[in-house]
Amino acid sequence: MSSELCPPYAPFFGFAGVASAMIFSTMGAAFGTAKSGIGIAGVGTFKPELIMKAIPVVMAGIIAVYGLVVSVLIAGSLHPSNDYPLAAGFIHLGAGMSCGITGIAAGYAIGLIGDSCVRAYVHEQRVFVAMVLILIFAEVLGLYGLIVALLMNTRATTIGGC
Amino acid sequence: MAYYSTYYALSFPSFLVVVIALYLLFTDSGESFNVGRYLEETSPFVWGSLGTALCIGFSVLGAGWGIFLTGSSILGGGVRTPRISTKNLISIIFCEVVAIYGVIMGIVYSAKLQNVPEPVLYTRENYFTGFALFFGGLTVGVCNLFCGICVGVAGSTAALADASDPNLFVKVLVVEVFGSVLGLFGLIMGLLMIGNATEFTVGVSCGF
């Protein structure tokens, strides 16, 4: 049953993809939530009526959801009795890392933008629209990673058996 | 000279790696560097035990980090406004929950580590379970670590906002809830990863 194309250690790389998607996205989301949360709590001290503008926190949470989606998709195709090609393992690793590391970038950007823009909002209310636009552009970095990860995942499932 | 500390820290390990790689290359033993053979030779118990340990270890580290971040702010703010100390214990509990996630997953993972003698251990299913436990434990642990730190920072700002104005606490709590959902995602992924993995079973034959 041993095979050159489907060695028994192929799931190592598949699981590495699952783990990296989740871990790196969580890293970005945690930084975004914490950093923008500091700004939001600071806003509330000066102008309590503005505190419901917790939009950066929501967008950082969405980064974690991107990572969760990719992780669930990759983990769904890992099974001990299926013949799992080593090529599929590496593609899954690449998919997971692409989603995860872009999630770090997006989360980092959302955190810094949220913090500084919320502080500017205390002084000038008209920056709100600009803040939302910039946050969307930062969020879409994570979305690009998700798209590439989904493309790679569909490619991995069409790889032939052993 | 502190500016170059990164160079100092990274240069010696990379030098070692380069020397070892060149040694293997020039003594015609380059084939001894074989990742696949290493993964096949390593016992699945190594991966399983490491994963369980990382799961509980990193989760508790994250919980402790969050608790000290929040607790020091609560205690510091409580000097001038003692009323905040009771209500802000909720933030401490949010951090503690992260450690409980780690304990739960540690118990679930350790149930898979059944005793199997060495000659019949190396089956395809056991390899799968070992890898699943390792990466599942790593995912749960590191996600809980970052969740704990995030909730700790948010709880710290919530305490100080509460000290400034009591109406703000519930509103800043929203940020903490978004932070704590990260640990929940890690828990979900940890369960999903080992969903298909059987416990360590005796192999029918010792080949794959």
Side-chain angles (χ1 to χ4, degrees):
Chain A
M1 212 169 106
S2 169
S3 165
E4 283 298 314
L5 293 176
C6 302
Y9 54 83
F12 181 85
F13 300 102
F15 278 121
V18 177
S20 55
M22 198 63 233
I23 288 173
F24 294 135
S25 305
T26 304
M27 207 185 287
F31 182 84
T33 305
K35 191 90 172 114
S36 49
I38 292 172
I40 289 169
V43 163
T45 312
F46 292 100
K47 286 196 179 178
E49 65 270 13
L50 304 181
I51 203 170
M52 267 305 128
K53 313 289 185 185
I55 294 171
V57 171
V58 175
M59 303 192 89
I62 294 174
I63 298 290
V65 172
Y66 291 162
L68 183 73
V69 162
V70 171
S71 298
V72 169
L73 272 176
I74 298 175
S77 53
L78 294 170
H79 197 275
S81 56
N82 283 352
D83 281 334
Y84 186 64
L86 187 61
F90 283 122
I91 294 179
H92 282 149
L93 174 63
M97 288 185 71
S98 80
C99 175
I101 296 178
T102 54
I104 293 181
Y108 188 69
I110 289 173
L112 293 180
I113 294 166
D115 188 31
S116 54
C117 285
V118 159
R119 287 175 203 273
Y121 184 63
V122 174
H123 302 289
E124 174 59 65
Q125 297 230 1
R126 286 181 293 178
V127 301
F128 182 70
V129 174
M131 175 178 91
V132 173
L133 275 174
I134 298 172
L135 278 173
I136 289 172
F137 277 110
E139 176 82 23
V140 99
L141 298 175
L143 190 66
Y144 294 159
L146 174 77
I147 291 171
V148 170
L150 291 178
L151 278 172
M152 293 175 82
N153 187 46
T154 53
R155 181 71 187 93
T157 53
T158 60
I159 286 184
C162 312
Chain B
M1 286 303 125
Y3 294 120
Y4 299 104
S5 60
T6 317
Y7 294 155
Y8 294 149
L10 293 180
S11 60
F12 184 65
S14 16
F15 174 71
L16 273 184
V17 168
V18 168
V19 163
I20 292 171
L22 287 176
Y23 172 79
L24 289 178
L25 184 67
F26 291 139
T27 55
D28 200 20
S29 49
E31 298 237 349
S32 60
F33 180 78
N34 190 341
V35 175
R37 193 185 61 201
Y38 167 76
L39 291 174
E40 280 181 10
E41 283 177 351
T42 312
S43 165
F45 280 112
V46 171
W47 300 116
S49 315
L50 259 179
T52 311
L54 291 175
C55 170
I56 181 64
F58 281 144
S59 300
V60 170
L61 178 63
W65 202 327
I67 290 177
F68 93 67
L69 281 172
T70 309
S72 50
S73 292
I74 294 175
L75 293 171
V79 169
R80 294 288 290 267
T81 46
R83 59 173 170 80
I84 70 166
S85 40
T86 327
K87 196 159 59 164
N88 281 277
L89 289 179
I90 292 177
S91 307
I92 305 275
I93 292 175
F94 269 116
C95 296
E96 183 76 24
V97 151
V98 153
I100 292 178
Y101 291 161
V103 171
I104 291 172
M105 291 317 294
I107 293 173
V108 170
Y109 285 174
S110 60
K112 305 267 184 191
L113 298 172
Q114 297 299 321
N115 195 13
V116 174
E118 182 84 6
V120 288
L121 175 64
Y122 296 93
T123 66
R124 198 176 272 266
E125 286 80 17
N126 287 348
Y127 279 125
F128 185 88
T129 302
F131 299 145
L133 288 175
F134 176 68
F135 282 110
L138 188 65
T139 302
V140 173
V142 175
C143 286
N144 284 341
L145 172 67
F146 289 120
C147 170
I149 297 173
C150 174
V151 173
V153 170
S156 161
T157 59
L160 298 177
D162 186 19
S164 154
D165 182 358
N167 300 322
L168 291 179
F169 179 67
V170 179
K171 296 175 183 170
V172 183
L173 206 63
V174 169
V175 178
E176 259 185 84
V177 169
F178 273 101
S180 72
V181 94
L182 301 175
L184 201 61
F185 286 167
L187 182 78
I188 291 171
M189 273 327 295
L191 284 170
L192 270 177
M193 278 198 243
I194 59 155
N196 282 332
T198 62
E199 59 185 24
F200 285 140
T201 49
V202 174
V204 176
S205 65
C206 42
F208 2 88

